Amino acid sequence: MTTQLGTVLREVSFIREHYGSRVLLLGGGPHPTADPEGTLKAGFDAVFTGEAERIFPEAVERVIKEGPGAVQGQSFNDTDIPRLSIDDYFPISETLGLYGPMEISRGCLHHCAFCQTRRIFAPPLRHRSVESVVAGISKAMKGGQKRTFFISPNALSYGSEGKGTVNLAALGGLLSAIKATGTKYIDLAYFPSEVRPEYVSEEALALIKKYCTNRKIAVGIQTGSDSLLRRLRRGHTVAQAVETVALIRSMGLMAHCDFIFGFPGETGDDVKASLELMELITKKFGARIHFHYFLPLPGTPLWGGKPEPLDDRTRSALARFEEDGRLDGWWKEQEKLSMEIQEWKARGYITV
């Protein structure tokens, strides 16, 4: 990821210094997808953009048969390959005993200006079948995994094909089948499978209460300013966010709400509106804030925009939220990281 670029650059430098060309470095993921040329210039021999479940093994086979020269200096992508089925690939390794969150959906129907997801995974939105999810969870359980959690850009979009629509039958069928495996803990609609406000309904929350063990719902609100929500292409309103948090509270659950400050072009009025919304939902509905500082990511519409700094008054307000136990997050570290990303671009480590 772009946030890992500093560490990766140091690792590449170390490897080249100690092992030279004896090590073949292959790079993939969100950052190489956004900046393949910069990744090659950073010292990688080949780059894989987008989804690489098929193209990466094929490239490795070429290296085995023909040697490193078969891939060196090349950028591989799957744009000409029909969209693969995620049923065929599990985020687990039985051999190594590694069991990650189960990916249930890939891609996103939305175009948020700060997010790379839509730029990495082209439409359509794809979902893992119930049979594949159950098979993967069963493997993880045999490996000793006790908690089942998921990767999804929006947990309540499972089985859906349209914006703002929830396929309750598909969601209920998925959760019922997972419960039947006997897995002890099921976490859905919490990190790393948050939800968008406009998808939350009483019926969807009832399914989570029935089948899941988590009692916190992670909601991406991002800002309390309707004008900024429109500029960010979020596709929901502040009123919808408030209604969602209120509904979550009424169902006996707690909303853990994502907010981001520092967007390029964010005004003092935008910040004020966000702080007021944070005050409202924490005091009235018992919500908790998961706070972030804006990270510029290559390939997104906001890439190249300058993050807005936090003024002293805003910092004091955030400190009060933290002291009251109403706010958490790694926003101070993200402030530093945001500056580092801009420095990496200025020094030519990011070329887009």
Side-chain angles (χ1 to χ4, degrees):
M1 299 184 291
T2 300
T3 54
Q4 299 168 320
L5 183 58
T7 300
V8 171
L9 290 171
R10 290 190 293 272
E11 290 174 346
V12 170
S13 177
F14 177 88
I15 290 170
R16 289 306 184 212
E17 179 183 351
H18 290 82
Y19 301 99
S21 60
R22 288 178 290 160
V23 174
L24 186 70
L25 293 178
L26 308 178
H31 184 78
T33 295
D35 187 18
E37 286 298 318
T39 305
L40 287 172
K41 289 181 179 179
F44 281 88
D45 293 293
V47 174
F48 299 81
T49 64
E51 299 167 87
E53 283 96 339
R54 270 197 295 230
I55 57 177
F56 180 76
E58 291 173 358
V60 172
E61 288 179 2
R62 287 182 58 187
V63 172
I64 293 171
K65 293 176 182 178
E66 306 170 33
V71 300
Q72 283 176 321
Q74 297 184 50
S75 177
F76 297 88
N77 67 73
D78 63 352
T79 54
D80 297 325
I81 301 174
R83 293 287 135 192
L84 56 80
S85 169
I86 59 176
D87 274 12
D88 299 328
Y89 305 94
F90 291 117
I92 63 177
S93 172
E94 294 176 278
T95 303
L96 298 176
L98 298 174
Y99 304 96
M102 181 58 57
E103 181 187 31
I104 57 173
S105 299
R106 179 175 293 186
C108 188
L109 296 171
H110 302 271
H111 297 79
C112 301
F114 54 88
C115 181
Q116 287 178 319
T117 301
R118 183 62 181 258
R119 285 88 194 170
I120 299 172
F121 304 120
L125 175 64
R126 285 158 287 155
H127 308 285
R128 188 181 297 277
S129 70
V130 172
E131 294 76 17
S132 178
V133 173
V134 168
I137 290 173
S138 298
K139 291 175 185 289
M141 289 173 63
K142 289 179 181 178
Q145 187 86 343
K146 291 182 171 57
R147 184 175 297 277
T148 296
F149 50 120
F150 308 91
I151 290 178
S152 173
N154 173 18
L156 297 182
S157 69
Y158 181 79
S160 175
E161 296 180 356
K163 289 183 179 179
T165 62
V166 178
N167 189 332
L168 292 170
L171 185 64
L174 172 70
L175 292 174
S176 175
I178 294 170
K179 189 78 171 180
T181 65
T183 184
K184 192 171 182 180
Y185 302 102
I186 302 174
D187 286 0
L188 183 74
Y190 200 65
F191 181 83
S193 62
E194 295 91 337
V195 300
R196 294 175 56 92
E198 72 272 29
Y199 285 75
V200 177
S201 66
E202 184 175 341
E203 294 80 6
L205 293 176
L207 288 174
I208 293 173
K209 286 191 70 174
K210 180 178 180 180
Y211 293 109
C212 301
T213 48
N214 61 292
R215 289 298 175 260
K216 294 180 181 179
I217 306 296
V219 186
I221 295 178
Q222 317 309 0
T223 177
S225 164
D226 275 316
S227 62
L228 184 53
L229 283 172
R230 288 190 292 271
R231 296 202 301 273
L232 296 174
R233 309 175 192 175
R234 278 294 292 170
H236 65 80
T237 65
V238 172
Q240 285 176 307
V242 174
E243 290 171 4
T244 295
V245 175
L247 179 60
I248 291 171
R249 175 63 179 267
S250 72
M251 295 286 288
L253 302 167
M254 190 190 87
H256 199 183
C257 304
D258 283 311
F259 278 78
I260 304 173
F261 281 22
F263 289 113
E266 183 179 55
T267 67
D269 287 340
D270 294 328
V271 172
K272 182 175 181 288
S274 289
L275 290 172
E276 289 175 350
L277 179 58
M278 290 161 57
E279 185 73 20
L280 171 68
I281 62 177
T282 56
K283 286 290 184 66
K284 188 172 182 178
F285 304 116
R288 188 178 176 90
I289 307 302
H290 191 50
F291 191 73
H292 305 268
Y293 185 76
F294 170 72
L295 295 172
L297 300 176
T300 65
L302 290 185
W303 174 247
K306 186 177 180 181
E308 295 291 344
L310 303 177
D311 59 29
D312 291 340
R313 180 176 298 180
T314 301
R315 291 181 185 279
S316 296
L318 295 174
R320 287 194 297 273
F321 276 101
E322 284 184 317
E323 291 167 2
D324 293 344
R326 293 183 288 158
L327 181 147
D328 56 46
W330 299 94
W331 61 277
K332 295 173 185 175
E333 290 81 1
Q334 290 169 339
E335 269 192 296
K336 298 175 184 176
L337 187 53
S338 182
M339 294 180 61
E340 288 177 354
I341 292 173
Q342 297 171 72
E343 291 172 3
W344 296 334
K345 181 184 180 183
R347 294 168 65 182
Y349 295 129
I350 302 176
T351 63
V352 291

mmCIF file of all heavy atoms in Angstrom, residues 127-143:
data_model
loop_
_atom_site.group_PDB
_atom_site.id
_atom_site.type_symbol
_atom_site.label_atom_id
_atom_site.label_comp_id
_atom_site.label_asym_id
_atom_site.label_seq_id
_atom_site.Cartn_x
_atom_site.Cartn_y
_atom_site.Cartn_z
ATOM 1 N N HIS A 127 -19.307 -11.147 -5.733
ATOM 2 C CA HIS A 127 -19.506 -11.707 -4.400
ATOM 3 C C HIS A 127 -19.062 -13.172 -4.377
ATOM 4 O O HIS A 127 -19.276 -13.914 -5.336
ATOM 5 C CB HIS A 127 -20.969 -11.610 -3.987
ATOM 6 C CG HIS A 127 -21.556 -10.245 -4.132
ATOM 7 N ND1 HIS A 127 -21.261 -9.215 -3.256
ATOM 8 C CD2 HIS A 127 -22.397 -9.714 -5.064
ATOM 9 C CE1 HIS A 127 -21.908 -8.127 -3.630
ATOM 10 N NE2 HIS A 127 -22.595 -8.405 -4.723
ATOM 11 N N ARG A 128 -18.477 -13.575 -3.267
ATOM 12 C CA ARG A 128 -18.140 -14.985 -3.076
ATOM 13 C C ARG A 128 -19.432 -15.762 -2.781
ATOM 14 O O ARG A 128 -20.285 -15.295 -2.027
ATOM 15 C CB ARG A 128 -17.151 -15.130 -1.910
ATOM 16 C CG ARG A 128 -16.585 -16.540 -1.752
ATOM 17 C CD ARG A 128 -15.631 -16.617 -0.570
ATOM 18 N NE ARG A 128 -14.462 -15.774 -0.730
ATOM 19 C CZ ARG A 128 -13.366 -16.128 -1.421
ATOM 20 N NH1 ARG A 128 -13.306 -17.317 -1.991
ATOM 21 N NH2 ARG A 128 -12.349 -15.297 -1.519
ATOM 22 N N SER A 129 -19.562 -16.929 -3.366
ATOM 23 C CA SER A 129 -20.759 -17.731 -3.136
ATOM 24 C C SER A 129 -20.794 -18.226 -1.695
ATOM 25 O O SER A 129 -19.755 -18.330 -1.022
ATOM 26 C CB SER A 129 -20.791 -18.928 -4.092
ATOM 27 O OG SER A 129 -19.776 -19.865 -3.752
ATOM 28 N N VAL A 130 -21.991 -18.540 -1.219
ATOM 29 C CA VAL A 130 -22.148 -19.067 0.138
ATOM 30 C C VAL A 130 -21.341 -20.346 0.300
ATOM 31 O O VAL A 130 -20.688 -20.560 1.328
ATOM 32 C CB VAL A 130 -23.644 -19.330 0.441
ATOM 33 C CG1 VAL A 130 -23.800 -20.068 1.768
ATOM 34 C CG2 VAL A 130 -24.416 -18.018 0.471
ATOM 35 N N GLU A 131 -21.360 -21.195 -0.728
ATOM 36 C CA GLU A 131 -20.631 -22.466 -0.664
ATOM 37 C C GLU A 131 -19.138 -22.237 -0.490
ATOM 38 O O GLU A 131 -18.464 -22.931 0.287
ATOM 39 C CB GLU A 131 -20.899 -23.291 -1.930
ATOM 40 C CG GLU A 131 -22.319 -23.770 -2.099
ATOM 41 C CD GLU A 131 -23.278 -22.675 -2.553
ATOM 42 O OE1 GLU A 131 -22.807 -21.622 -3.050
ATOM 43 O OE2 GLU A 131 -24.507 -22.866 -2.404
ATOM 44 N N SER A 132 -18.607 -21.241 -1.203
ATOM 45 C CA SER A 132 -17.178 -20.940 -1.102
ATOM 46 C C SER A 132 -16.835 -20.347 0.261
ATOM 47 O O SER A 132 -15.805 -20.685 0.853
ATOM 48 C CB SER A 132 -16.768 -19.959 -2.213
ATOM 49 O OG SER A 132 -15.406 -19.615 -2.109
ATOM 50 N N VAL A 133 -17.702 -19.462 0.774
ATOM 51 C CA VAL A 133 -17.468 -18.886 2.099
ATOM 52 C C VAL A 133 -17.434 -19.981 3.160
ATOM 53 O O VAL A 133 -16.527 -20.025 4.011
ATOM 54 C CB VAL A 133 -18.561 -17.849 2.448
ATOM 55 C CG1 VAL A 133 -18.415 -17.382 3.897
ATOM 56 C CG2 VAL A 133 -18.484 -16.649 1.505
ATOM 57 N N VAL A 134 -18.409 -20.876 3.119
ATOM 58 C CA VAL A 134 -18.487 -21.969 4.096
ATOM 59 C C VAL A 134 -17.266 -22.873 3.991
ATOM 60 O O VAL A 134 -16.694 -23.293 5.008
ATOM 61 C CB VAL A 134 -19.788 -22.768 3.901
ATOM 62 C CG1 VAL A 134 -19.750 -24.073 4.702
ATOM 63 C CG2 VAL A 134 -20.987 -21.934 4.309
ATOM 64 N N ALA A 135 -16.848 -23.168 2.768
ATOM 65 C CA ALA A 135 -15.669 -24.023 2.576
ATOM 66 C C ALA A 135 -14.425 -23.377 3.175
ATOM 67 O O ALA A 135 -13.627 -24.042 3.853
ATOM 68 C CB ALA A 135 -15.458 -24.297 1.089
ATOM 69 N N GLY A 136 -14.253 -22.070 2.942
ATOM 70 C CA GLY A 136 -13.088 -21.377 3.485
ATOM 71 C C GLY A 136 -13.109 -21.306 5.010
ATOM 72 O O GLY A 136 -12.084 -21.526 5.662
ATOM 73 N N ILE A 137 -14.277 -21.029 5.568
ATOM 74 C CA ILE A 137 -14.388 -20.952 7.025
ATOM 75 C C ILE A 137 -14.150 -22.322 7.653
ATOM 76 O O ILE A 137 -13.506 -22.440 8.709
ATOM 77 C CB ILE A 137 -15.769 -20.390 7.414
ATOM 78 C CG1 ILE A 137 -15.843 -18.910 7.040
ATOM 79 C CG2 ILE A 137 -16.033 -20.575 8.914
ATOM 80 C CD1 ILE A 137 -17.209 -18.291 7.225
ATOM 81 N N SER A 138 -14.643 -23.359 7.009
ATOM 82 C CA SER A 138 -14.433 -24.714 7.526
ATOM 83 C C SER A 138 -12.953 -25.064 7.553
ATOM 84 O O SER A 138 -12.459 -25.675 8.518
ATOM 85 C CB SER A 138 -15.206 -25.726 6.668
ATOM 86 O OG SER A 138 -16.602 -25.482 6.722
ATOM 87 N N LYS A 139 -12.223 -24.666 6.523
ATOM 88 C CA LYS A 139 -10.776 -24.895 6.500
ATOM 89 C C LYS A 139 -10.101 -24.141 7.654
ATOM 90 O O LYS A 139 -9.214 -24.668 8.327
ATOM 91 C CB LYS A 139 -10.187 -24.428 5.167
ATOM 92 C CG LYS A 139 -10.575 -25.257 3.946
ATOM 93 C CD LYS A 139 -10.030 -24.624 2.679
ATOM 94 C CE LYS A 139 -10.490 -25.347 1.426
ATOM 95 N NZ LYS A 139 -9.849 -26.667 1.282
ATOM 96 N N ALA A 140 -10.523 -22.876 7.856
ATOM 97 C CA ALA A 140 -9.929 -22.064 8.921
ATOM 98 C C ALA A 140 -10.228 -22.650 10.301
ATOM 99 O O ALA A 140 -9.368 -22.648 11.190
ATOM 100 C CB ALA A 140 -10.449 -20.628 8.828
ATOM 101 N N MET A 141 -11.431 -23.163 10.470
ATOM 102 C CA MET A 141 -11.790 -23.767 11.756
ATOM 103 C C MET A 141 -10.929 -24.987 12.049
ATOM 104 O O MET A 141 -10.492 -25.195 13.187
ATOM 105 C CB MET A 141 -13.275 -24.145 11.756
ATOM 106 C CG MET A 141 -14.217 -22.951 11.807
ATOM 107 S SD MET A 141 -15.958 -23.432 11.597
ATOM 108 C CE MET A 141 -16.191 -24.460 13.047
ATOM 109 N N LYS A 142 -10.673 -25.791 11.027
ATOM 110 C CA LYS A 142 -9.812 -26.963 11.211
ATOM 111 C C LYS A 142 -8.390 -26.533 11.590
ATOM 112 O O LYS A 142 -7.679 -27.267 12.269
ATOM 113 C CB LYS A 142 -9.785 -27.793 9.933
ATOM 114 C CG LYS A 142 -11.088 -28.531 9.653
ATOM 115 C CD LYS A 142 -11.002 -29.328 8.356
ATOM 116 C CE LYS A 142 -12.316 -30.046 8.072
ATOM 117 N NZ LYS A 142 -12.272 -30.780 6.782
ATOM 118 N N GLY A 143 -8.006 -25.338 11.136
ATOM 119 C CA GLY A 143 -6.688 -24.813 11.459
ATOM 120 C C GLY A 143 -6.632 -24.116 12.810
ATOM 121 O O GLY A 143 -5.604 -23.546 13.169
#
